[in-house]
Amino acid sequence: QVQLVESGGGLVQAGGSLRLSCAASGRTFSGYKMGWFRQAPGKERDFVASILWSGHSPYYDDSVKGRFTISSDTTKKTIYLEMNNLKPEDTAIYYCAASNNWSSTRAPKEYAYWGQGTQVTVSS
């Protein structure tokens, strides 16, 4: 079965950086859309960024554009989210997700597979 395992979260000061990883296993992901989402306490799960498994077509929410970079390493079967210039409002649980529809966009309901999440906390 599909497994997505996130890692790399932690506590960082405002202005700092973290790199999240999402290790994917259980099937061939060719043609899949991979996404990162985040959920702060008491809020809905929000789209952060997405990319095709091949590494093409990165797409970002406006709130992270210019600060976050999503990438795909197909040889390692891992998706990354490089986060720079972190802000306290970036604090959330970050989830990796996969969709077998390459045209999936921002809606969480379009993604069938989810990881368990990794906590990112940015202190001011």
Side-chain angles (χ1 to χ4, degrees):
Q1 70 278 19
V2 173
Q3 271 200 311
L4 303 174
V5 180
E6 303 97 333
S7 61
L11 173 63
V12 64
Q13 288 189 328
S17 299
L18 284 173
R19 188 176 79 157
L20 305 184
S21 299
C22 171
S25 62
R27 65 157 299 127
T28 300
F29 292 91
S30 177
Y32 271 54
K33 177 69 68 71
M34 307 298 294
W36 285 99
F37 292 77
R38 64 186 180 186
Q39 189 166 18
K43 296 190 175 182
E44 294 184 349
R45 191 167 296 189
D46 290 331
F47 172 81
V48 175
S50 65
I51 194 168
L52 291 174
W53 179 255
S54 63
H56 293 95
S57 304
Y59 173 66
Y60 302 92
D61 184 76
D62 285 346
S63 65
V64 305
K65 201 174 293 183
R67 300 188 298 124
F68 290 11
T69 302
I70 188 171
S71 61
S72 173
D73 186 333
T74 57
T75 59
K76 295 183 178 180
K77 299 191 75 173
T78 301
I79 305 297
Y80 300 99
L81 186 68
E82 183 76 34
M83 306 186 295
N84 298 313
N85 190 22
L86 282 160
K87 304 175 181 180
E89 52 263 42
D90 294 318
T91 294
I93 299 175
Y94 283 70
Y95 296 91
C96 176
S99 169
N100 60 6
N101 183 351
W102 63 270
S103 64
S104 293
T105 54
R106 307 172 57 92
K109 65 181 180 181
E110 296 179 346
Y111 294 78
Y113 306 103
W114 292 84
Q116 82 290 348
T118 186
Q119 176 71 48
V120 171
T121 303
V122 184
S123 62
S124 57

